[in-house]
Amino acid sequence: METFSNIVSAVDSFVWGPVMLVLLVGTGIFLTVRIGFRTWLNLPYALKSVLSKEARTTNRGTGDISPFAALMTALAATIGTGNIVGVATALVSGGPGALVWMEISAIFGLTSKFSECMLAIKYRTVNDQGEMLGGPMTTMKRGFKNKTVGAVLAMLFAIFAVIASFGIGNMTQANSISSALNNTFSVPTWVTGAIITVLVLVILLGGITRLSKVSSVIVPVMAVFYLIFGIIVILGNITELPAAIVLMFKCAFTPGAVTGGVLGTIVSGMMNSMRFGVARGVFSNEAGMGSAAITAAAATTDDPVRQGYINMTGTFFDTIVICTVTGLAICSSGVLGTIDPSTGELLTGSSLTIAAFESVLGTFGGWMVTIGIVLFAFSTILGWEYHGEKALEYIVKKPSICMAYRVIFALVAFIGATTSLDLVWNLSDIANALMAIPNLISLLALSGVIAKEVKRFQPTIDAERASKKAAKTR
């Protein structure tokens, strides 16, 4: 078993190595340039669309749920432990400069997220139950001129998505919840596991409608509360913030030999920050991974580009807002590099974030981080179930099997909450990376379609802006 674990760890390091990171960020850069930086220029339009009353209705176009609910369900799977644990891990492994690279990856990730979500709606289909079925798998199958290549890539994506749903989308999240509650409030892991299983099962049996309603409440509420207390921590350490920001940029762009954290080797400081920042940034916002596009396909909309802009704001909220607050709270508090007196090792993961919040809020800060982990991870379980179920539906096309998947998915959460998951984490990382490869190939192959769609919809955006401006002057 130890040999197998070592092999899995080596494969994990390889698939998340330089080639994958270049492919992920490179695709975002290429697409951003190809569409004339429209995702950047239209970000204000996208944010206004998300916050509009119309986004909460199903009056415009066809679909299963409202545009806002589709975004919140996608964010439920995206905003997770990566925003708390992942950021802390990146800062310990890659230094303060890792946060800068997380932001850079997110800036270009906006276009990747927009593209995969827009294509998912453009090429979505309707199943026998009258529900929308879309995502990278339908995009590849219907969008590729070479149907054989498209079908093969689509099947590979769907298979890896199902595997990843049980790992990174379920067991690891349940484990994070049970560990956090056990460490902070001494709740037995089996109790937490049982509660998670029951709650997940009740919600999932209600289908996408109930799931989206729960996500539309949990995601905004938990994000707002976490941001409020995160900002309080930053303000409490405001005198240290300027120096922390300067250090972040120095570490991000100044080459120098430093210890590579979990790599255990001496590498370039800049490359180390880049690797961990980009990896954890993409892992957090999932831009380019394709999973969020599955949920986007359920949105009620009259145009795929319109919903593509709405869904790309998920990357903005996830990384540019929430991850930034976590990173600045850690860097400004001075806890980065602190040794845990009980273990003699560097504080990392949730322990580091808790230490940052406690620097201003005391014990209450630790409670808030724990509650944040619980809610973030629980919402991730819900969102990823939908991803996995739709991928499974693409493979088997049998409602009875998909219903059985919901039950099994809920039961697996109990296993995740009560067992050690080091091997599962690595296997989940691999499956997640293998999802990205066919999806990124698809985005590059269909870049011409993406550019054409963006150009076609731009006059609509301009007209809507002009109409609103004229209404204000009346």
Side-chain angles (χ1 to χ4, degrees):
M1 179 59 73
E2 183 178 351
T3 301
F4 178 68
S5 296
N6 291 335
I7 293 173
V8 171
S9 181
V11 173
D12 183 30
S13 297
F14 174 76
V15 297
W16 278 104
V19 175
M20 173 59 76
L21 299 183
V22 168
L23 181 60
L24 279 165
V25 180
T27 299
I29 294 173
F30 172 76
L31 292 174
T32 300
V33 175
R34 181 82 192 261
I35 66 173
F37 300 91
R38 283 297 176 186
T39 47
W40 295 4
L41 297 173
N42 291 328
L43 181 58
Y45 165 82
L47 292 172
K48 289 179 181 178
S49 297
V50 171
L51 300 175
S52 68
K53 291 182 179 179
E54 187 177 52
R56 291 166 174 76
T57 68
T58 55
N59 300 329
R60 175 183 280 177
T62 57
D64 298 330
I65 54 180
S66 71
F68 180 79
L71 173 62
M72 290 301 107
T73 305
L75 273 175
T78 303
I79 299 178
T81 54
N83 298 86
I84 297 176
V85 180
V87 173
T89 301
L91 292 174
V92 171
S93 303
L99 184 61
V100 176
W101 289 107
M102 289 181 73
E103 304 296 344
I104 293 174
S105 70
I107 290 172
F108 291 103
L110 286 170
T111 309
S112 298
K113 181 66 69 70
F114 162 82
S115 300
E116 61 195 20
C117 291
M118 184 274 290
L119 291 173
I121 298 169
K122 179 177 175 63
Y123 293 110
R124 68 185 179 182
T125 59
V126 180
N127 63 17
D128 294 337
Q129 290 70 50
E131 299 174 340
M132 295 296 174
L133 174 62
M137 56 276 190
T138 56
T139 295
M140 297 166 199
K141 183 178 180 179
R142 303 184 68 203
F144 273 46
K145 292 182 179 179
N146 188 318
K147 298 303 180 183
T148 301
V149 173
V152 170
L153 290 176
M155 186 59 68
L156 287 174
F157 175 88
I159 291 171
F160 291 131
V162 173
I163 295 172
S165 72
F166 284 106
I168 197 63
N170 186 338
M171 295 178 71
T172 57
Q173 304 299 327
N175 190 265
S176 295
I177 294 173
S178 63
S179 297
L181 290 176
N182 182 258
N183 293 335
T184 304
F185 302 113
S186 299
V187 179
T189 56
W190 71 267
V191 172
T192 301
I195 293 174
I196 293 174
T197 298
V198 172
L199 289 177
V200 169
L201 189 59
V202 169
I203 294 171
L204 295 184
L205 291 180
I208 181 60
T209 301
R210 183 180 299 172
L211 194 158
S212 65
K213 287 181 179 178
V214 173
S215 298
S216 295
V217 174
I218 291 180
V219 174
V221 171
M222 72 180 183
V224 168
F225 272 98
Y226 182 78
L227 288 174
I228 288 173
F229 289 105
I231 292 172
I232 290 174
V233 172
I234 295 171
L235 293 176
N237 296 304
I238 193 68
T239 56
E240 304 298 327
L241 184 60
I245 294 175
V246 170
L247 180 62
M248 284 162 42
F249 280 92
K250 281 186 176 180
C251 291
F253 299 108
T254 303
V258 298
T259 302
V262 296
L263 287 178
T265 58
I266 302 301
V267 294
S268 163
M270 183 173 69
M271 293 305 296
N272 196 49
S273 291
M274 185 186 302
R275 175 179 179 181
F276 282 100
V278 172
R280 289 298 171 181
V282 171
F283 193 77
S284 175
N285 61 51
E286 297 183 5
M289 309 302 290
S291 53
I294 298 175
T295 308
T300 299
T301 184
D302 63 341
D303 196 289
V305 179
R306 186 188 304 279
Q307 187 62 33
Y309 278 124
I310 289 176
N311 268 84
M312 85 171 184
T313 62
T315 298
F316 175 83
F317 291 124
D318 178 273
T319 303
I320 298 177
V321 178
I322 298 178
C323 286
T324 298
V325 168
T326 300
L328 290 178
I330 292 173
C331 291
S332 64
S333 64
V335 298
L336 188 61
T338 301
I339 301 295
D340 187 341
S342 62
T343 64
E345 298 179 353
L346 283 174
L347 283 178
T348 188
S350 59
S351 298
L352 181 62
T353 308
I354 287 174
F357 274 62
E358 286 182 341
S359 69
V360 174
L361 300 172
T363 304
F364 178 75
W367 295 350
M368 284 306 306
V369 172
T370 298
I371 293 172
I373 290 175
V374 170
L375 293 177
F376 283 6
F378 183 74
S379 70
T380 298
I381 293 174
L382 298 179
W384 261 98
E385 188 283 332
Y386 184 77
H387 296 167
E389 181 180 333
K390 286 301 178 181
L392 181 63
E393 180 184 334
Y394 176 84
I395 298 171
V396 299
K397 299 176 178 65
K398 292 183 178 180
S400 60
I401 294 180
C402 291
M403 185 60 70
Y405 168 87
R406 295 182 187 180
V407 177
I408 294 172
F409 190 89
L411 295 175
V412 166
F414 181 83
I415 299 174
T418 56
T419 56
S420 177
L421 298 176
D422 290 342
L423 181 60
V424 174
W425 270 105
N426 287 335
L427 288 172
S428 301
D429 272 354
I430 294 171
N432 221 10
L434 293 177
M435 283 174 59
I437 294 173
N439 183 57
L440 294 170
I441 292 174
S442 173
L443 294 181
L444 293 172
L446 298 175
S447 61
V449 176
I450 296 168
K452 183 178 179 180
E453 288 292 307
V454 169
K455 183 178 181 180
R456 174 189 61 77
F457 191 73
Q458 190 57 41
T460 301
I461 295 178
D462 295 337
E464 290 180 8
R465 285 172 172 166
S467 176
K468 291 180 179 179
K469 186 176 180 180
K472 289 181 178 180
T473 58
R474 290 172 188 169

